[in-house]
Amino acid sequence: MSTRVRSVIRVEGVVQGVGFRPFVYGLAVRLGLGGLVGNDERGVFIEVEGAPALVAEFTVALRTSPPPLATVERVSARAVPATGETGFAIARSTEGGTRRALVSPDVATCDDCLREMDDPADRRYGYAFVNCTNCGPRFTIVRDVPYDRPNTTMAGFAMCADCAREYHDPADRRFHAQPVCCPACGPRLRLLGRGGEPLAGDPVGEAVRLLRDGGVLAVKGLGGYHLAALASRESAVAALRARKHRQEKPFAVMVADLAGARLLCEVDEVEERLLTSGARPIVLLRERGEAASRVAPSVAPSDGWLGVMMPYTPLHHLLLRRLGEPVVLTSGNVSDEPIAYRDEDALTRLRGVADAFLLHDRPIHTRTDDSVSRVLRGRELPLRRSRGYAPRPLPLSLGLPRPVLACGAELKHTFCVARDTHAFVSHHIGDLENYETFRSFTEGVEHFLRLFDVVPELVAHDLHPEYMSTKYALALEGAELVGVQHHHAHIASCLADNGVTGPVVGVAFDGLGYGLDATLWGGEFLVADLVSFERAGHLATVPMPGGAAAVRQPWRMAAACLDVAYGGAVPEDLDVVRRNAASWDGVLALGRRGVNAPLTSSAGRLFDAVASVAGVRDVIGYEGQAAIEWERLADPVEKGHYGHRLTGSSPFVVHGADLVAAVAEDVRAGTEAGVVSARFHNTVARIVAEGCARVRETSGLSTVALSGGVFQNALLLVRAAALLEEDGFHVLTHGRVPPNDGGVSLGQAAVAAARDNHR
């Protein structure tokens, strides 16, 4: 008689809500093994019994062949006495103890479910909530762990007999799929008028008719409401802009499939993988010339790039297929408010924007905006990490002696909860400039702490005393505070993103961050690891006349930089002077006296200044607009650059005003704007490379980390990285969290963990 062995196995990682238990069940049955599998607060527990070779094969397969949506981080096993058990079962989930289970992000509808939705003979034909173990809502419906139906917003929908049979059948694709439902027992669509009154007819069909007639439709998605309009209808898009109070920032477009994306934009292999991934982010793509005939001019004014996404819910598929052309799909909010996700709130806040509401009765527990990415240097560069990615954990190189809450920055806000070796960066919260967004932040923190069973002992925060996130941290009790300088957090986020600890040469170029000398930093060369940093170099400081007004009105930065560059004798024939003559002298006076004119070394403000001098934009409608438009102007074949100065040491100083003067002289000479833009970008790339070479001379470091919102600029990032690599540097860029302030919370958590390890 052959020897039987029994093994108790623990699997940790993203293994709940991704079909792991059905996978284990099927694997055990195929190998003829007995035992059980279940969910608990740590992940998946298994007991398996049978012939030694088969138990060994089973254990290896857990690591090497998990379900596609699973992320197996750890498999541990120990032997126990065999019991003679031959049958295999799925056990009831257990609760209690410290929670270590990881929650899956929401996943786009799989091909199997789409086939059912398209099959007239299937009972889910045309059903807007079809899902299975391999797809559908996850994070946005989870209230608690373990991930079982009673702990989700599907708890109020009792399964019908057919769905229950699928749910309990180990051979079925919906075996233990928590959101399983059908038209007989699941959520239902409704179409309401602007005043909340029910509208007759098929909800999807009537919604399509409204869009074709040029209306604006509010659509309830996975993480909140969107506002939709026909992308080809200029009057509809213009109405959406006017009602939403979003005059210039580009809208995203949803297309039915890859073919639709290729009609509008150039799509390479990496971009194709992103568009069709389970995360389904908005992907920034270069427009094709013929896109103008299919997309209204005001979808993405003065751009040349288009944010494109593909359907990720069954409802999106139904709408896009019936409509037969792309739609604008933008966040369901007004101006800078958070996205609406509760029905009553949406019907109130969006009443003046939407002509009708296409909604359903499945509650959304966590509001989650769409993610945004682009492809640079052959890899994904996240610009906003949210739906489809959060709350998938990021590994930390150093384990955490104590759990951490990192409160993030002020703009593009995220927070981060970290424990053991995991960092859970939140979904995109937004700019903490109003009460609703701040409340979304505080509610999100409470939800994450509960989901991951964390009581933070360290609370990391930015040094800026006026950030709402900093004030929140300082008001917390019972935890040790860890202040992290903004640009150190940027570089630390890049290190954590790449799984390294440093030290590196860190180049942090962004808008503004509170510096150690009480000036506003933003053009920094650092020597940094996860514990500490030194300021090795920076852009020369210039005043910001009017403070925050200089961010909204780039011509003010142009005035300050030109005043420095020309020693107070700014050429009067410059158009930027003429355009702003009424206020020019007053703004110069503010800068010279230092009244309401804080000093800044910001690279972002330098980009604003030259964009204004070149006539691109004196006043912006959204953050970074001047710099974005300045980049898009650049002539891709122009190789010229301007003279520039790096003077001094410890730290060295880059004289950015010289670049503003060089741009001004080119503009006065009538040089074409695309050439001027390219020369400027080439010069900044050279400054990055030369600054890093200077730091290498004194530090011996040959690895560079590039971070900060300015490195969302594709032209700068690609050219700077190329120069650095030509000079023998190893270059680290972002691939899992954004280089902008959306990644700061990860950097804060990594710094707090490293300092705690080095106590």
Side-chain angles (χ1 to χ4, degrees):
M1 182 177 177
S2 61
T3 304
R4 292 176 64 85
V5 296
R6 189 175 183 92
S7 183
V8 174
I9 301 173
R10 163 70 55 187
V11 186
E12 297 176 71
V14 181
V15 291
Q16 292 189 11
V18 294
F20 205 88
R21 288 177 296 174
F23 156 73
V24 170
Y25 180 94
L27 177 63
V29 170
R30 180 172 61 82
L31 295 175
L33 301 174
L36 56 89
V37 60
N39 281 347
D40 64 10
E41 73 283 349
R42 293 174 57 195
V44 170
F45 61 89
I46 304 168
E47 292 190 25
V48 65
E49 181 172 332
L54 294 177
V55 170
E57 181 181 346
F58 174 91
T59 306
V60 169
L62 296 176
R63 295 188 180 94
T64 60
S65 306
L69 300 182
T71 302
V72 175
E73 296 186 347
R74 186 177 300 106
V75 177
S76 56
R78 59 183 175 86
V80 295
T83 66
E85 184 176 15
T86 56
F88 199 88
I90 292 187
R92 292 178 62 88
S93 297
T94 65
E95 299 187 34
T98 302
R99 300 171 185 170
R100 290 294 180 265
L102 305 181
V103 178
S104 168
D106 301 283
V107 183
T109 312
C110 70
D111 290 341
D112 289 332
C113 283
L114 289 178
R115 276 191 290 272
E116 292 176 344
M117 190 183 76
D118 293 338
D119 182 0
D122 194 279
R123 68 191 187 90
R124 292 186 174 88
Y125 175 61
Y127 186 50
F129 304 95
V130 58
N131 68 85
C132 71
T133 305
N134 299 318
C135 69
R138 300 289 193 275
F139 173 59
T140 52
I141 66 170
V142 171
R143 291 191 175 111
D144 210 339
V145 292
Y147 176 69
D148 284 321
R149 195 177 183 101
N151 289 329
T152 74
T153 62
M154 286 296 295
F157 297 92
M159 282 185 278
C160 67
D162 287 334
C163 285
R165 185 164 53 252
E166 292 170 333
Y167 182 86
H168 293 290
D169 180 1
D172 196 278
R173 197 176 82 252
R174 294 186 170 87
F175 185 41
H176 281 246
Q178 304 310 328
V180 64
C181 59
C182 74
C185 65
R188 298 185 180 184
L189 289 174
R190 292 180 294 156
L191 186 66
L192 304 181
R194 178 176 289 179
E197 70 280 7
L199 299 181
D202 167 46
V204 175
E206 291 302 306
V208 167
R209 184 188 60 78
L210 180 141
L211 289 169
R212 284 180 177 156
D213 288 345
V216 174
L217 178 70
V219 184
K220 187 176 180 180
L222 270 181
Y225 277 78
H226 287 102
L227 293 164
L230 209 62
S232 62
R233 186 75 62 87
E234 175 63 24
S235 59
V237 179
L240 175 55
R241 283 202 177 279
R243 297 176 192 177
K244 188 176 159 69
H245 305 303
R246 177 168 160 170
Q247 295 306 314
E248 295 173 305
K249 190 174 184 180
F251 284 137
V253 169
M254 178 173 277
V255 296
D257 49 31
L258 268 176
R262 291 196 177 101
L263 281 174
L264 302 180
C265 300
E266 304 290 341
V267 183
D268 67 21
E269 290 183 8
V270 182
E271 290 163 341
E272 178 180 326
R273 287 198 297 271
L274 265 181
L275 283 169
T276 58
S277 69
R280 289 291 203 278
I282 298 168
V283 182
L284 292 187
L285 302 173
R286 188 177 293 278
E287 279 187 303
R288 298 169 64 94
E290 50 268 44
S293 64
R294 297 182 174 93
V295 175
S298 60
V299 170
S302 306
D303 211 8
W305 290 73
L306 197 61
V308 178
M309 61 177 153
M310 287 176 50
Y312 54 85
T313 71
L315 179 56
H316 292 140
H317 283 281
L318 291 171
L319 279 171
L320 268 293
R321 289 175 184 181
R322 292 204 199 178
L323 195 60
E325 59 178 296
V327 293
V328 164
L329 205 67
T330 186
S331 299
N333 57 8
V334 177
S335 191
D336 296 321
E337 295 175 351
I339 184 173
Y341 73 109
R342 293 191 175 102
D343 298 339
E344 299 80 6
D345 180 47
L347 288 166
T348 300
R349 281 206 283 141
L350 303 181
R351 181 172 298 174
V353 183
D355 296 306
F357 294 78
L358 184 60
L359 68 162
H360 55 77
D361 52 353
R362 183 181 68 205
I364 298 169
H365 186 69
T366 302
R367 104 172 89 211
T368 312
D369 284 275
D370 292 317
S371 297
V372 184
S373 288
R374 72 184 308 173
V375 173
L376 286 181
R377 288 164 45 88
R379 67 184 294 211
E380 179 181 8
L381 179 72
L383 305 180
R384 183 167 74 195
R385 181 183 184 271
S386 199
R387 179 199 46 77
Y389 295 85
R392 186 176 295 277
L394 299 169
L396 293 175
S397 300
L398 300 174
L400 280 78
R402 294 182 285 174
V404 173
L405 167 63
C407 294
E410 187 82 350
L411 303 181
K412 296 180 172 61
H413 178 268
T414 64
F415 61 87
C416 179
V417 170
R419 57 156 167 78
D420 303 328
T421 58
H422 291 134
F424 303 93
V425 178
S426 77
H427 48 296
H428 170 78
I429 303 296
D431 298 345
L432 300 185
E433 295 177 338
N434 60 51
Y435 172 73
E436 279 299 317
T437 313
F438 181 73
R439 188 175 73 173
S440 184
F441 158 48
T442 59
E443 290 175 350
V445 169
E446 293 171 3
H447 185 47
F448 269 56
L449 295 180
R450 184 172 62 253
L451 274 187
F452 304 116
D453 207 12
V454 169
V455 177
E457 297 180 39
L458 298 176
V459 174
H461 62 85
D462 196 273
L463 298 183
H464 199 303
E466 294 304 313
Y467 278 4
M468 293 299 294
S469 57
T470 302
K471 292 180 177 180
Y472 172 82
L474 297 178
L476 294 176
E477 297 180 356
E480 180 180 332
L481 295 174
V482 181
V484 182
Q485 198 279 325
H486 188 84
H487 300 94
H488 184 205
H490 269 306
I491 300 306
S493 76
C494 189
L495 296 181
D497 195 336
N498 287 276
V500 298
T501 59
V504 297
V505 181
V507 185
F509 281 9
D510 68 353
L512 298 169
Y514 198 76
L516 298 183
D517 59 359
T519 65
L520 298 174
W521 292 6
E524 311 306 312
F525 293 83
L526 309 178
V527 172
D529 57 20
L530 293 179
V531 176
S532 61
F533 76 96
E534 294 180 7
R535 196 184 194 195
H538 59 86
L539 288 175
T541 56
V542 292
M544 283 178 57
V551 178
R552 299 187 297 270
Q553 301 173 20
W555 73 267
R556 290 172 176 262
M557 290 308 306
C561 290
L562 289 169
D563 196 41
V564 171
Y566 286 99
V570 180
E572 295 183 359
D573 61 346
L574 278 170
D575 282 344
V576 66
V577 179
R578 294 170 179 160
R579 292 193 305 268
N580 299 283
S583 303
W584 189 267
D585 289 341
V587 164
L588 287 184
L590 284 179
R592 290 168 182 171
R593 294 199 307 266
V595 176
N596 191 23
L599 293 175
T600 183
S601 59
S602 166
R605 301 291 77 80
L606 173 63
F607 275 73
D608 283 351
V610 295
S612 178
V613 170
V616 173
R617 185 162 293 277
D618 288 342
V619 178
I620 62 170
Y622 60 89
E623 189 204 6
Q625 183 179 12
I628 291 168
E629 293 176 356
W630 180 231
E631 174 198 355
R632 302 280 163 82
L633 273 179
D635 183 341
V637 300
E638 172 63 34
K639 303 300 180 186
H641 59 91
Y642 299 123
H644 47 278
R645 290 184 297 150
L646 284 71
T647 61
S649 60
S650 301
F652 63 83
V653 175
V654 180
H655 297 270
D658 292 357
L659 274 68
V660 182
V663 167
E665 292 305 313
D666 254 358
V667 169
R668 295 176 76 196
T671 306
E672 196 270 324
V675 171
V676 180
S677 175
R679 289 174 179 172
F680 172 79
H681 282 87
N682 293 341
T683 307
V684 176
R686 285 173 172 264
I687 287 170
V688 170
E690 291 174 22
C692 291
R694 281 199 175 210
V695 178
R696 181 172 58 188
E697 289 174 3
T698 56
S699 68
L701 297 172
S702 58
T703 298
V704 174
L706 303 178
S707 191
V710 170
F711 284 111
Q712 295 174 133
N713 182 311
L715 183 60
L716 175 62
L717 180 65
V718 169
R719 294 191 176 180
L723 290 173
L724 287 164
E725 288 170 348
E726 287 172 11
D727 196 25
F729 283 100
H730 176 55
V731 180
L732 303 177
T733 58
H734 286 267
R736 292 186 287 186
V737 296
N740 60 45
D741 282 7
V744 161
S745 64
L746 175 63
Q748 292 173 344
V751 170
R755 290 179 182 172
D756 209 28
N757 272 289
H758 285 75
R759 290 169 67 92

